[in-house]
Amino acid sequence: MELTKNKFSDSTGEGLSLFDGVDTHYLSLAALTHMMEGAAVAVGYTQEEVVQHLAAIVSRMKPAATPGQFLRIAEVVVDALDNASNNYLEHSYEYFHAPSGETRKVSFRLTTYEPDLEDEYRYRPTAEGYLVLMGMLDLKVEDHQILVERMLQLLIERGRFDQAYEFARRARMLSIEHRQQIRDFIHQAWRAPGSVAWARDIAPRLNEARMHIHARQEEDRRMEESVREQLIQVTDNQTREQLVRLHDVLKSASGVRAHLQVDVTGAGDKFMDAQAGAFRSRRPSSFPDLETRLLPEALATAQTALAGSVDALLLSFYPAVVPKAPDLSNVLALLLARREYDEPSEDESEGGELMPFKKYPDPFPEDMAQFVQGWVSAKFAIGSSWKLDELLAHAEDEGLTLLERQCIVYVLYRSYPDSENLFKSMRACADGEFVADVAAGDNLRFDPVETR
């Protein structure tokens, strides 16, 4: 890159090099360092994030350049690390191997560009990229693990809590996904023994889960230690809230991962129990065997005989007692039934969340309900039939308020089933539809009981 950088023109027409005054060695190291920073708390940075970071460094190296030139220089550096000029193939380097007396070639990559959990491509340094970075910084190869741990601590110390929180949340969700996949296969094996193969279905998921557990345990441990250290040092309330949120999600992820470990450990025994279910004896039944008797006899029967038995067969599918639809009052009582509120548990993966019961105030006061019931009873005492819309029209003419007329609609609809009828001398039935300023829907007609 340093040898070939002068071939890039600055596009001003003056023949100047785009990289005049630009240190490509520093930019390459800065790109690898930034990728390493992203790999410490997440799965890397996107191409746009890497280019923007390098463009900000170029703006300090070469202030006279334009923003477009900043981005162009950054893109050339990233392409050089990817070996874009050679169709993104591996970098290759020839050297003389003294013990064998021959020239050998070594191939390597400095970066990887792979999708993350959400299929978004991100940059990460390869093992060779770490070696190049540490060699240029004059560090020992043995210090690689220490360097990664220190980078993670520096990110938390620099206040990059959002990235750390997002990665911890996604890692927790991945643990839940692994656990759900294992449980689904075991449940399928219980329901249909023989439909799930251990080597094909369960074993690969268990290996992926083990790799995930091993990778996340050490990372989360280091992150928790760094968060606890920062909680002791920081005094700003907003920063402490972010740290507490990050600590909570790390703690929750640790709990979910512990449950995942239990599922992985016990998956073999559960699968064997499920397979043994295929050989478990069944209780004898008085029903004829479907395969040995019913199906052969049905195939041997003429179509006319089968067609003549269709009516009886269809009737056998109906229940002996037709279920009745519940009254409106029973449905309302079920919806308004108050359940005890359970405090939310620390393990968010277990079960759903039970929201606290909200008590809604009665829209119609007791005295208003009694007044409306008496007013309707007075109308029904006349002895003729009444419709709901007719009663609303009379109520409006007599100056009843909007809320009182709404109460009339509620009282009449409540009296539609005989079991909840407030007016025993009248029977209700549906009769068309109505539209009013307080309600609209099916119209009800109330007839005296003796006339029906």
Side-chain angles (χ1 to χ4, degrees):
M1 179 64 195
E2 182 67 22
L3 295 176
T4 60
K5 68 179 184 179
N6 292 327
K7 71 177 183 179
F8 296 97
S9 173
D10 62 356
S11 69
T12 59
E14 300 178 0
L16 300 177
S17 174
L18 180 65
F19 283 84
D20 283 342
V22 176
D23 186 352
T24 56
H25 287 93
Y26 183 87
L27 288 178
S28 300
L29 291 178
L32 291 174
T33 304
H34 190 62
M35 295 177 189
M36 177 183 175
E37 173 185 314
V41 296
V43 288
Y45 285 128
T46 62
Q47 183 179 23
E48 182 181 359
E49 291 172 337
V50 175
V51 171
Q52 291 293 340
H53 177 73
L54 293 182
I57 299 176
V58 174
S59 65
R60 297 194 297 271
M61 283 186 180
K62 193 174 181 180
T66 62
Q69 292 175 341
F70 298 157
L71 294 175
R72 175 57 180 160
I73 293 173
E75 291 172 354
V76 171
V77 173
V78 174
D79 289 343
L81 295 176
D82 284 342
N83 200 15
S85 60
N86 196 20
N87 295 326
Y88 297 95
L89 299 176
E90 293 181 335
H91 295 278
S92 61
Y93 178 76
E94 294 184 351
Y95 66 99
F96 178 73
H97 188 249
S100 62
E102 60 183 10
T103 300
R104 295 183 177 180
K105 183 173 70 172
V106 59
S107 299
F108 59 93
R109 292 186 183 275
L110 298 177
T111 61
T112 60
Y113 193 53
E114 298 175 343
D116 60 4
L117 303 177
E118 299 176 355
D119 291 334
E120 184 175 5
Y121 280 81
R122 296 178 180 273
Y123 273 109
R124 289 188 299 106
T126 61
E128 293 84 359
Y130 280 113
L131 290 176
V132 170
L133 176 60
M134 298 180 68
M136 296 294 291
L137 296 177
D138 197 18
L139 297 174
K140 297 180 180 180
V141 178
E142 293 80 3
D143 296 334
H144 172 235
Q145 185 65 30
I146 300 176
L147 184 63
V148 173
E149 295 179 6
R150 183 55 183 162
M151 176 64 71
L152 179 62
Q153 296 173 1
L154 287 175
L155 287 174
I156 296 179
E157 293 171 3
R158 293 173 185 172
R160 307 292 286 274
F161 308 119
D162 292 338
Q163 290 182 347
Y165 174 81
E166 182 63 23
F167 178 63
R169 186 189 64 82
R170 289 188 296 174
R172 176 181 172 277
M173 292 301 299
L174 185 59
S175 299
I176 296 175
E177 291 177 4
H178 282 303
R179 190 182 182 194
Q180 188 62 43
Q181 286 180 351
I182 295 173
R183 286 187 168 188
D184 289 344
F185 278 115
I186 296 297
H187 183 65
Q188 178 67 21
W190 271 103
R191 293 185 59 186
S195 63
V196 179
W198 176 269
R200 181 194 64 202
D201 300 322
I202 301 181
R205 272 74 181 180
L206 294 180
N207 293 332
E208 293 176 1
R210 292 190 185 98
M211 294 174 60
H212 168 75
I213 293 172
H214 179 74
R216 292 308 312 158
Q217 279 179 341
E218 187 64 23
E219 290 291 335
D220 286 359
R221 182 189 65 80
R222 292 199 301 265
M223 292 181 71
E224 286 184 10
E225 291 178 356
S226 300
V227 169
R228 283 195 292 266
E229 292 176 1
Q230 289 299 308
L231 281 173
I232 298 174
Q233 299 175 5
V234 299
T235 58
D236 182 63
N237 292 333
Q238 183 177 1
T239 305
R240 289 187 64 85
E241 290 177 359
Q242 292 177 334
L243 286 170
V244 169
R245 185 183 68 160
L246 177 57
H247 184 269
D248 291 342
V249 74
L250 288 174
K251 185 177 179 180
S252 176
S254 179
V256 173
R257 198 164 52 250
H259 288 293
L260 175 61
Q261 181 67 54
V262 173
D263 290 343
V264 171
T265 305
D269 295 336
K270 292 180 180 179
F271 180 76
M272 293 302 296
D273 292 342
Q275 295 302 302
F279 305 97
R280 192 174 295 118
S281 60
R282 266 67 173 177
R283 293 182 178 180
S285 175
S286 59
F287 293 102
D289 187 75
L290 182 65
E291 296 182 357
T292 59
R293 289 187 56 186
L294 292 184
L295 289 181
E297 292 178 4
L299 292 175
T301 305
Q303 294 184 357
T304 54
L306 289 176
S309 304
V310 169
D311 293 336
L313 180 63
L314 291 178
L315 290 175
S316 65
F317 287 107
Y318 288 97
V321 179
V322 179
K324 297 181 179 180
D327 291 341
L328 181 61
S329 59
N330 294 337
V331 176
L332 293 176
L334 180 63
L335 294 176
L336 296 176
R338 184 164 185 171
R339 300 171 61 186
E340 294 184 0
Y341 173 64
D342 296 333
E343 294 294 335
S345 61
E346 296 181 356
D347 186 6
E348 300 179 4
S349 66
E350 295 294 338
E353 182 180 1
L354 181 61
M355 300 299 295
F357 183 83
K358 294 182 179 179
K359 188 174 182 180
Y360 297 95
D362 190 352
F364 309 116
E366 184 65 25
D367 55 347
M368 178 183 295
Q370 294 178 358
F371 166 75
V372 168
Q373 185 174 349
W375 184 87
V376 175
S377 299
K379 297 296 181 183
F380 287 165
I382 300 176
S384 60
S385 298
W386 289 90
K387 287 187 177 181
L388 192 153
D389 54 352
E390 296 174 350
L391 290 172
L392 287 179
H394 280 276
E396 186 176 3
D397 294 339
E398 296 180 13
L400 271 68
T401 63
L402 179 66
L403 189 60
E404 291 173 341
R405 283 182 282 139
Q406 290 178 346
C407 187
I408 291 175
V409 177
Y410 172 76
V411 168
L412 295 179
Y413 266 106
R414 180 184 174 182
S415 301
Y416 177 69
D418 293 338
S419 59
E420 297 293 330
N421 195 345
L422 299 176
F423 313 99
K424 301 302 181 181
S425 61
M426 309 293 286
R427 293 282 181 85
C429 64
D431 187 4
E433 297 180 352
F434 80 100
V435 177
D437 58 342
V438 294
D442 293 333
N443 202 359
L444 299 181
R445 188 182 76 250
F446 289 82
D447 302 319
V449 175
E450 59 272 14
T451 61
R452 296 187 61 182

